[in-house]
Amino acid sequence: DVYKRQVYPGIILTEAITGMPIGRVALMQAPMALVMIAIGWVFFIRRIPTTAHEGHYHLAAALVGILRTVWPILLAILLYGALRIEMSIAVLVALLTLIAAFRPEWQGLKSALAKGFSFKLVFLVFGILSFQTALELSGAIGSLPQLTATLNLPPETVIVIVCFTAGLLTGMVAAFVALSYTILAGFLYQPDIIPGHIFLAYMAGYVGMMLSPGHVCLILTNHYFQSDLARVYRLLAVPVILLALSGAGLYLTGWGGLFR
């Protein structure tokens, strides 16, 4: 299964739409990943009933399993961020290293490569960029900032409302990035890239997605375990609020400004 992993499409689309290098996008959002790990540990993982011995064993096994799975991605990020190697070449080197390490059979490797290349993702990026060009030519991108200025609305308010709504309605990272980023181009990356606004947009959309009744991960997990969805939402409420407050607090510190 390790050959079938896909890079998170939301990060790829963020770079494709905004032009912000993928390494900076990932590094800028890294603190939020640590926040989510901490929230998950406090509210969920530590409540799983196990003996002390079993708890240490399962944690160690889980960490080893995670490292075994993600090390090719970490290698690509290291090559790109530390050595300044072109991202496409860094990914290729990581892929070749993975193949050399595991030496898969040709049929399995061929199948993994075929499934790993997504025509849907290619056409999605093409469609998004075409939509972005249409908005630029029509002047719609510049009209939204002008409208909000007329109404005396802070850019942050517009970004949060649009991205949170897109995430809530679609329940998909790729969808809220595609829909909201192009509409908010005048606030995010035109005429200049504003990393802090991109950080805020991703955070707001992600929170909306986590609460979306159309979030496939949530629906399938709830169906598999035959749990009460209303109770699941009650369990999610406080962690998601803490996630949103943590993201807002990090934004207010000016963290995004370090990635200009």
Side-chain angles (χ1 to χ4, degrees):
D1 289 344
V2 71
Y3 306 105
K4 300 178 182 178
R5 306 295 181 187
Q6 294 185 359
V7 179
Y8 207 48
I11 303 295
I12 298 174
L13 291 177
T14 298
E15 180 187 32
I17 296 172
T18 67
M20 186 176 179
I22 194 169
R24 291 187 182 181
V25 175
L27 186 59
M28 181 175 65
Q29 296 177 167
M32 296 309 299
L34 298 178
V35 169
M36 286 190 284
I37 291 173
I39 291 175
W41 174 265
V42 171
F43 285 91
F44 302 109
I45 296 177
R46 72 184 184 90
R47 296 185 179 183
I48 298 175
T50 57
T51 65
H53 176 73
E54 288 176 338
H56 290 301
Y57 173 77
H58 289 315
L59 178 60
L63 291 175
V64 171
I66 291 173
L67 289 176
R68 282 173 56 86
T69 302
V70 304
W71 71 260
I73 298 176
L74 295 177
L75 175 60
I77 294 175
L78 178 64
L79 293 174
Y80 175 78
L83 303 180
R84 299 296 181 184
I85 297 176
E86 179 67 31
M87 176 56 73
S88 57
I89 298 177
V91 172
L92 179 61
V93 171
L95 179 60
L96 293 176
T97 305
L98 177 65
I99 294 173
F102 285 89
R103 299 182 181 277
E105 297 181 359
W106 169 244
Q107 284 300 118
L109 179 60
K110 182 179 178 181
S111 175
L113 292 174
K115 292 180 179 179
F117 182 79
S118 173
F119 283 102
K120 290 183 179 180
L121 182 58
V122 172
F123 284 116
L124 176 62
V125 174
F126 176 79
I128 292 169
L129 296 180
S130 299
F131 179 55
Q132 176 184 343
T133 302
L135 291 178
E136 292 173 355
L137 294 176
S138 67
I141 287 179
S143 63
L144 185 58
Q146 294 174 4
L147 177 62
T148 55
T150 302
L151 298 175
N152 294 320
L153 292 175
E156 292 83 358
T157 301
V158 179
I159 291 171
V160 169
I161 291 175
V162 172
C163 294
F164 177 83
T165 303
L168 188 66
L169 292 177
T170 63
M172 296 175 60
V173 172
F176 83 69
V177 169
L179 290 174
S180 58
Y181 283 24
T182 49
I183 296 173
L184 297 171
F187 294 112
L188 304 182
Y189 56 92
Q190 288 194 2
D192 299 313
I193 296 176
I194 306 178
H197 284 181
I198 294 174
F199 170 84
L200 185 64
Y202 199 98
M203 187 271 295
Y206 192 89
V207 169
M209 180 200 68
M210 290 295 293
L211 296 174
S212 173
H215 188 189
V216 177
C217 299
L218 175 62
I219 300 303
L220 290 181
T221 302
N222 186 76
H223 177 74
Y224 180 82
F225 289 104
Q226 296 295 307
S227 55
D228 181 2
L229 187 58
R231 186 181 178 189
V232 171
Y233 269 115
R234 288 197 295 270
L235 292 173
L236 284 175
V238 174
V240 170
I241 291 173
L242 290 177
L243 176 65
L245 292 176
S246 300
L250 188 59
Y251 170 79
L252 292 175
T253 65
W255 167 254
L258 300 177
F259 298 90
R260 287 186 179 274

